[in-house]
Amino acid sequence: MRSVRGAIQGKVEMGVYVAKRLLLVVPTLFFIMLLNFVVIQFAPGGPVEQAIANITGTGVDAAERVTRDTSENVVQGSETATGQYRGAQGLDPEFITRLERRFGFDKPVHVRFLDMIGNYLRFDFGESFFRDATVVDLVLDKMPVSISLGLWSTLLVYLISIPLGIRKAVLDGSRFDVATSVLLTIGVAIPGFLFAVLLLVVFAGGVYFDWFPLRGLVSDNWDELGWAARIADYFWHLALPITAMTVSGFAALAMLTKNSFLDQISQQYVLTARAKGLSERRVMYGHVFRNAMLIVIAGFPAAVVNILFTGAMLIEIIFSLDGLGLLGFEAALQRDYPVMFGTLWFFTLLGLLLGIISDLMYTWIDPRIDFDSTAP
């Protein structure tokens, strides 16, 4: 009876903890959006300026114009002291007014922010300023590339790092440990994008071999292939970018796993388990694993968000993969605010929810965790 009451109490505490965390998502998301919205108001070269540059044919000099505007202390991005946009000379003032109305700049700043938040709460992310598509359609169109890169690279990183880290902990100080530590150090020192360029030069027709394609997620004739050929073609295109992301990502996690296991191996309960005659495998995976993996799982949500949406940007550019990282980068350059803030909202919300899921995974690995004592 006591165990039943304890289980029920544990579930209640977990429910209260999750409810508190979900309630914290709202103000956290609001202040993140507010901070980014305020900062972007002071960035030179806003959407209206970008549109004027495209119309007047001066878009190629955008970087030079931004530098000039910044040095002259331009207020609110791209307006002159007289309220006229640079590059707007010769354009009909009514046309400039229509541009401002189109981009929503005919409203005060606080009204624009509140309207944006209200729309996002209804999951209405609007349309891109410079692409003939909605933000949702753009994200869904780029999602397969980012999910492909993030899913397979994250899977490989964890499948390699955790067994390797455990092995290094068991053989701490051995030749295997020293040799792999040297390789891991090299992996950490070499940036992922630099390794990606090396792979291109060696294996994608740069200098030596022409074994892998240079661009795209699948071949042009993918629809005409059978299911087996489609799978092979898909992984053929992903081989180099996934390799570049995996090599740059698994080294730190392997060392974290090793150190976590070393810390647990020295604990009294491990000595007791060994004294009882349990096999080393039973000790490592039956007792140590549960405690040592907590710190590894703690970084899982951040790793997923980083690999899926930020860490892959340079990889996407190098391998000509049109994913979410490249979309966000281009939106920032073009000052495409709906895409910038829409993706920021989505990714931030996803990251906050993944953090809650990570806490729930703690209890799956170690049911002894008390949510009541850890709740905010």
Side-chain angles (χ1 to χ4, degrees), residues 120 125 127-129 131 133-135 138-139 327-328 331-332 336-344:
Y120 286 0
F125 298 101
E127 296 186 1
S128 167
F129 284 163
R131 301 169 185 250
T134 64
V135 174
L138 286 172
V139 171
L327 174 66
D336 197 342
Y337 290 171
V339 176
M340 290 173 58
F341 290 115
T343 53
L344 175 65

Side-chain angles (χ1 to χ4, degrees), residues 39-112:
V39 170
I40 205 66
Q41 303 308 308
F42 297 96
V48 176
E49 177 76 1
Q50 295 288 330
I52 292 174
N54 292 334
I55 293 170
T56 58
T58 59
V60 294
D61 297 324
E64 180 182 350
R65 183 176 61 256
V66 167
T67 303
R68 183 184 66 237
D69 289 347
T70 304
S71 65
E72 295 176 4
N73 297 319
V74 176
V75 178
Q76 293 185 354
S78 55
E79 289 185 82
T80 64
T82 61
Q84 291 290 325
Y85 290 96
R86 296 190 182 277
Q89 290 84 354
L91 294 179
D92 187 353
E94 293 185 3
F95 176 74
I96 304 299
T97 302
R98 288 197 300 270
L99 276 180
E100 293 176 338
R101 188 180 302 114
R102 173 193 169 190
F103 295 131
F105 282 81
D106 58 325
K107 301 177 182 179
V109 174
H110 68 281
V111 174
R112 285 191 281 124

Side-chain angles (χ1 to χ4, degrees), residues 271-309:
L271 301 177
T272 303
R274 286 172 173 168
K276 291 181 178 179
L278 296 180
S279 65
E280 191 66 20
R281 183 180 182 86
R282 179 75 180 275
V283 171
M284 293 300 296
Y285 290 95
H287 296 273
V288 177
F289 184 84
R290 182 178 62 182
N291 297 317
M293 286 304 295
L294 287 175
I295 191 172
V296 177
I297 290 178
F300 182 75
V304 171
V305 174
N306 179 66
I307 293 176
L308 276 176
F309 307 120

Side-chain angles (χ1 to χ4, degrees), residues 13 38 47 59 143 232 255 276-277 358 375:
E13 291 175 355
V38 171
M143 189 74 77
M255 295 303 298
K276 291 181 178 179
S358 175

